[in-house]
Amino acid sequence: MPSRRGPVAVLALLAVLVTVLAALTTPAAAAASTLNQLARAQGKYFGSATDNPELSDGAYTAILGGGEFGSTTPGNSMKWDATEPQQNQFSYAQGDAVVDFADAHDMMVRAHTLVWHNQLPNWLTSGNWSAPQLTSILQNHIANVAGHYKGEVYSWDVVNEPFNEDGTYRSDLWYNTLGSGYIATALRAARAADPNAKLYINDYNTEGSGAKSDAMYDLVKSLKAQGVPIDGVGFQAHLAVQYGFPSGMQANLQRFADLGVDVAITELDVRMELPADSAKVATQATYYANVTKACMAVARCVGITIWDYTDKYSWVPGTFSGQGSALPWDENLNKKPSVYDAIATALGGSGDGGGGGTANCEVAYSTNDWGSGFTANITLTNQGPAISGWTLKYSYAGDQRLSQGWSGTWSQSGKDVSVTNAGWNGTLTTGASTSIGANFTYSGSNTAPTAFTLNGTTCD
Ligand code: XIL
């Protein structure tokens, strides 16, 4: 009598098949924690600024909203020229787009910025305002803009860049017309407009000790003493490898925190003179790690924001001639392994969070196994600078013996396997992949190799 298989038997057979297939294909390493997950584990956030033009770049937004970042800052769209381009005519579409993106991707918004010397509309800079007129313009702007985003944003950079390098007040529209009192006026207006937003003063070159940092310290101390609403101090941290690392950053953050305010790293990037080389990138990775460690070590440091995450949209090349390569992701949206891992490690991660440790390569290894032999399929991705010519090495634990390989020159010595590129796949630009393979015989067990090196450097 012909046997007929019922649904249960078919399901059982399917289950066996799935199990066998799963066993035959060795998956690549599991995904590690994101930067924001690592920061969250320490009670902090890790964020990236963004800007409206790049929100139409799908590959870019997939990473921005893909979990690496728990906060964002609009790079331009909440500034005065964007939000009040004509007097008392407010424009929120661009800023709203950033807030909407953040909402849709579970990110906080650090709103930026209400009072600054830059990116002011013409009507404002060309008016010859009296102090009472300018005060009311300032209060009206803040009431409207901070009022529009009330309840939607985590914090406001209420005042941006009030100081000169020597610690004197910057000579700008605000200070020249209103004196330093404009800062308290702005903070009070912001508190009235959005009582729950954390109110910050933000500046650069205040990260370490020095005259500018001392001036900020004295200002915050005096604002606190006067009962002016101030919740935090932002340290932009636009660093450059050629200028050295700010001295005493952790102690500096701590002394501000001890005044009873939060502190945050708000615009971190580490630029260099182009072209990049391995020494500059190593210094850059150390700077990223040092900033991250300083924040992690200070309880009231609430988080870190990088000034966009990819060199594709960095402000650096357009602002500092001949400089660039400032961010942890390159222009092709690939992580820079050493920089990413330096941050991840400083956030308490294992350092193999997808950046690859000191690695400059990623290997995906899988097999099709028929019991006495198998095909090894390897996809090799170059995550470092472009290479011209490569050798990949790994070892088997068992008695796997090479019979034939392709897409490269394969050899084996004992347990050690070595593959050198073929003529056509020797050049791998950053982010480029090539797939190679070989057949092996074996008896006993066929355990997948766990470590690969490319030109002597360990891969993921
Ligand atoms: C920059 C933006 O990133 C650029 O797109 C814009 O052209 C100029 O401003 N400090 C700040 C930021 O507080 O607002 C600046 O952002 C970078 C320096």
Side-chain angles (χ1 to χ4, degrees), residues 49-51 74-76 79 112-113 116 118-119 157 160-161 202-204 236 238 266-267 269 307 313-316 319-320:
T50 189
D51 206 354
N76 287 296
K79 291 173 178 173
H112 173 85
T113 177
W116 192 27
N118 251 340
Q119 295 180 262
D157 290 333
N160 198 31
E161 303 181 349
N202 192 49
D203 214 328
Y204 63 95
Q236 293 183 7
H238 290 293
T266 53
E267 304 184 14
D269 51 19
W307 204 240
Y313 298 118
S314 170
W315 75 307
V316 168
T319 308
F320 304 95

Side-chain angles (χ1 to χ4, degrees), residues 44-116:
K44 306 183 194 287
Y45 62 83
F46 197 92
S48 168
T50 189
D51 206 354
N52 297 79
E54 51 259 42
L55 290 179
S56 58
D57 176 343
Y60 167 87
T61 55
I63 296 171
L64 181 69
E68 290 283 1
F69 308 108
S71 175
T72 192
T73 304
N76 287 296
S77 49
M78 292 187 189
K79 291 173 178 173
W80 201 307
D81 58 354
T83 50
E84 194 182 356
Q86 301 298 330
Q87 186 167 12
N88 213 27
Q89 290 179 19
F90 293 90
S91 154
Y92 299 118
Q94 303 267 89
D96 289 357
V98 174
V99 172
D100 289 348
F101 184 91
D103 282 350
H105 296 88
D106 208 13
M107 299 161 86
M108 315 186 308
V109 176
R110 290 199 81 263
H112 173 85
T113 177
L114 293 167
V115 191
W116 192 27

